[in-house]
Amino acid sequence: MKKAKVLVTGGLGYIGSHTVVELLKANYQPIIVDNLSNSKLGMLKQIEAITGVKPDFYNFDLCDEKLVAEFVAGEKDLDSVIHFAAYKAVGESVAEPLKYYRNNFNSLLSVLKALEERQLKLVFSSSCTVYGQPDSLPVNEFEAVKQAESPYGNTKQVAEEILQDIARADKSKKVISLRYFNPVGAHESALIGELPLGIPQNLVPFVTQSAIGIRGPITVFGDDYNTRDGSCIRDYIHVVDLAMAHVAALKFEGKDGANQNFNTFNVGTGKGYTVLELIKAFEKTTGVNLNYKIGARRAGDIEQIWGDVTKAQKELNWEAQLGIDEMMKSAWAWEQYLQNHQID
Ligand code: NAD
Ligand code: WQD
């Protein structure tokens, strides 16, 4: 039987590469477009080492409307698109908002324009960042007010509105926006994982780099929050579970009886861990002691957030399977792999 073709934009990045592996396992044919602005070509070989398949790969900038149109014109039988390509560093987006608005909107708009006449499904990478600090927890998809607090977050919030308008105007398009919570961890093979450039801003890559000696002590950003141990709470999700949510989204046919072609889903575990709990979990599962100190709060941090994931469980038939121990163990295995292997 012919395999369903899925265009995966940003498919060599952290979440994209794990999703490509799951798509291959589920018998889809992924076609990757990535301009390597935040990833390495070597990821293609890593994917091949896991799956035995080297997926089709095209290196160009998705902001280039003409190139995207030409590419899509040559791919007549695309079934769906998963749009990962975007810049994602919150702090950088505050310093350079135009860079974020330009890349995140232009890439999305040129993909949408090129696919204007096609009937297909589009899965979009959104983020729990659209919720800001929610009034009640766990946060669900229907009640929370969207209140992104950075230019990056705003690109996700506005992109969802753009996608909703497009779905409303063209019922043949099925759009699914997945609001990821905090993706961490790596593939169990330790052949793919997150490749942070420079000093990691996110907690888990900093933890693993500190543990292996690339970085100094970890600073816990604040222990005076109104949480059980004073440090911030997040809903960490294993990147392989997150990748599988994309496969579930491709299979999603819409809720029975509902004529709705735009859907949003929280993709998390539904459980929150504090920074200090995550540090303890890392130490317990890996047997490595971490060097950490309590520091000042980080500007702009949300005190606590975790997701209500019942909608994804019921409608996507998807649920996170892996817990904090697997997240820490796999993140550590990947850091150790990187110590002996160069990915270019
Ligand atoms: P990533 O940076 O590892 O992957 C993004 C990929 O897109 C990179 O390989 C990059 O080279 C590519 N890219 C960016 N702009 C491009 C362009 N104009 N043309 C072609 N390729 C381009 O990031 P990730 O962590 O895998 O995130 C994937 C998506 O998920 C992003 O949209 C991100 O905003 C979103 N997201 C990420 C997180 C997270 O914590 N990692 C959380 C929520 C949402
Ligand atoms: C997690 C917790 C920090 C580093 C970001 C984006 C969000 C989404 C996910 C894309 C926080 C604490 C961190 C450190 C620490 N991305 N921390 N010491 O801020 O929840 O979310 O990534 O959509 O939009 O904002 O993730 O990993 O940076 O931080 O104490 O050295 O770890 O304060 O409580 P965050 P993070």
Side-chain angles (χ1 to χ4, degrees):
M1 211 173 87
K2 205 165 152 282
K3 292 182 182 177
K5 271 195 189 178
V6 187
L7 169 60
V8 186
T9 75
L12 291 188
Y14 175 42
I15 306 167
S17 56
H18 288 82
T19 302
V20 166
V21 168
E22 294 310 316
L23 288 170
L24 288 166
K25 269 171 62 182
N27 227 13
Y28 287 88
Q29 183 186 345
I31 301 165
I32 301 171
V33 175
D34 198 306
N35 67 352
L36 306 179
S37 55
N38 197 37
S39 53
K40 301 278 188 202
L41 184 58
M43 274 293 164
L44 211 51
K45 270 205 209 128
Q46 302 296 104
I47 293 171
E48 189 182 5
I50 297 171
T51 61
V53 179
K54 193 170 185 181
D56 291 340
F57 168 67
Y58 300 87
N59 177 354
F60 62 89
D61 186 346
L62 290 153
C63 294
D64 188 327
E65 205 174 294
K66 200 164 153 265
L67 280 183
V68 179
E70 280 168 16
F71 171 78
V72 165
E75 293 289 346
K76 300 240 178 290
D77 51 353
L78 282 180
D79 275 283
S80 40
V81 179
I82 307 180
H83 185 61
F84 290 108
Y87 293 154
K88 63 166 181 179
V90 175
E92 188 185 51
S93 82
V94 174
E96 296 178 72
L98 197 54
K99 177 175 172 182
Y100 276 69
Y101 288 125
R102 189 192 151 276
N103 191 53
N104 294 6
F105 288 137
N106 288 355
S107 58
L108 175 66
L109 292 178
S110 48
V111 168
L112 290 173
K113 175 80 188 128
L115 296 167
E116 205 173 7
E117 305 303 327
R118 306 274 182 101
Q119 293 186 7
L120 44 71
K121 182 170 274 176
L122 186 135
V123 181
F124 177 70
S125 298
S126 187
S127 167
C128 68
T129 200
V130 299
Y131 294 125
Q133 176 63 64
D135 295 333
S136 64
L137 288 165
V139 61
N140 68 38
E141 296 88 344
F142 355 97
E143 286 162 355
V145 179
K146 288 199 272 179
Q147 43 189 1
E149 289 173 5
S150 67
Y152 164 72
N154 207 28
T155 68
K156 296 298 177 190
Q157 187 168 321
V158 175
E160 284 197 353
E161 287 164 10
I162 293 171
L163 289 166
Q164 190 160 17
D165 288 342
I166 283 171
R168 207 176 275 142
D170 177 358
K171 294 286 176 209
S172 77
K173 296 233 171 15
K174 309 249 176 286
V175 182
I176 296 163
S177 184
L178 300 180
R179 293 179 181 158
Y180 314 156
F181 281 70
N182 286 52
V184 298
H187 192 262
E188 60 173 359
S189 63
L191 290 168
I192 55 171
E194 189 168 6
L195 271 181
L197 294 177
I199 302 172
Q201 306 300 308
N202 295 114
L203 178 60
V204 172
F206 198 96
V207 163
T208 57
Q209 290 195 4
S210 172
I212 215 150
I214 302 174
R215 306 284 160 209
I218 302 152
T219 303
V220 175
F221 295 145
D223 70 345
D224 56 351
Y225 286 100
N226 185 23
T227 61
R228 45 191 177 266
D229 61 23
S231 62
C232 293
I233 298 179
R234 297 288 183 273
D235 184 341
Y236 297 96
I237 169 151
H238 198 297
V239 66
V240 172
D241 275 330
L242 176 54
M244 286 177 176
H246 294 79
V247 177
L250 292 183
K251 295 191 171 136
F252 175 69
E253 282 304 334
K255 206 174 151 194
D256 288 347
N259 181 20
Q260 207 181 322
N261 58 334
F262 175 81
N263 280 281
T264 56
F265 293 98
N266 283 344
V267 187
T269 62
K271 272 201 224 70
Y273 285 89
T274 70
V275 176
L276 291 168
E277 286 166 351
L278 182 143
I279 287 175
K280 295 279 169 258
F282 181 88
E283 291 185 322
K284 189 181 102 243
T285 37
T286 63
V288 178
N289 282 331
L290 292 171
N291 190 358
Y292 66 91
K293 58 181 190 324
I294 308 296
R297 291 182 176 196
R298 178 170 70 176
D301 257 340
I302 301 299
E303 179 176 89
Q304 45 188 319
I305 186 164
W306 63 95
D308 178 338
V309 290
T310 45
K311 187 177 178 215
Q313 286 168 1
K314 282 192 196 138
E315 297 183 30
L316 289 184
N317 205 15
W318 168 92
E319 193 171 355
Q321 302 297 322
L322 303 166
I324 194 86
D325 290 348
E326 283 111 338
M327 298 180 210
M328 296 302 109
K329 221 171 128 187
S330 61
W332 180 231
W334 167 242
E335 189 66 63
Q336 290 174 298
Y337 176 85
L338 282 179
Q339 216 185 18
N340 305 311
H341 300 82
Q342 177 93 3
I343 297 177
D344 294 309

